[in-house]
Amino acid sequence: VQSGIPLKRARGRGRRKYPWDTMEVGGSFFVADAEQKQLAHAAYMWRRNNDMDRRFETRVTTENGVHGVRVWRTA
C-alpha cells in the first residue's frame, strides 16, 4: 500500500475539444479534415450528457480550399 501518490486527472474532463457549451443559436464553427459522422456523434453525446434542449446540425463543406465539416447550433 502506498500513500502520497497524486490522483491523475480523468480523461475527457479537461479542456473541451469543441465549443458546444459556449455556442449561441445561429453560431457555427469549422473543423478541417473532419468526418461528418464523428462530429454529429460528438454533438449528440454532448447533448445527451449536458443539455437536451440544444440542437446542432453538421454539413460537409470546403472553405478556403480546405475540406471539412461546419457545425451550427440551431436551437
Side-chain angles (χ1 to χ4, degrees), residues 1-73:
V1 176
Q2 296 176 329
S3 61
I5 298 174
L7 179 65
K8 285 187 176 181
R9 177 173 230 150
R11 295 186 82 188
R13 297 286 182 208
R15 185 176 133 307
R16 299 286 181 212
K17 189 171 185 178
Y18 304 114
W20 309 116
D21 54 342
T22 60
M23 292 180 72
E24 298 291 331
V25 174
S28 68
F29 63 91
F30 178 75
V31 181
D33 300 321
E35 294 289 330
Q36 183 179 18
K37 186 175 180 179
Q38 289 175 326
L39 274 170
H41 182 71
Y44 165 76
M45 292 301 291
W46 188 89
R47 279 187 67 227
R48 189 179 84 176
N49 294 322
N50 295 281
D51 186 354
M52 289 297 289
D53 291 334
R54 291 186 186 215
R55 302 275 182 193
F56 300 95
E57 293 285 333
T58 60
R59 297 289 185 273
V60 174
T61 185
T62 301
E63 298 185 11
N64 299 322
V66 178
H67 178 76
V69 177
R70 181 161 288 279
V71 180
W72 286 266
R73 180 176 170 201

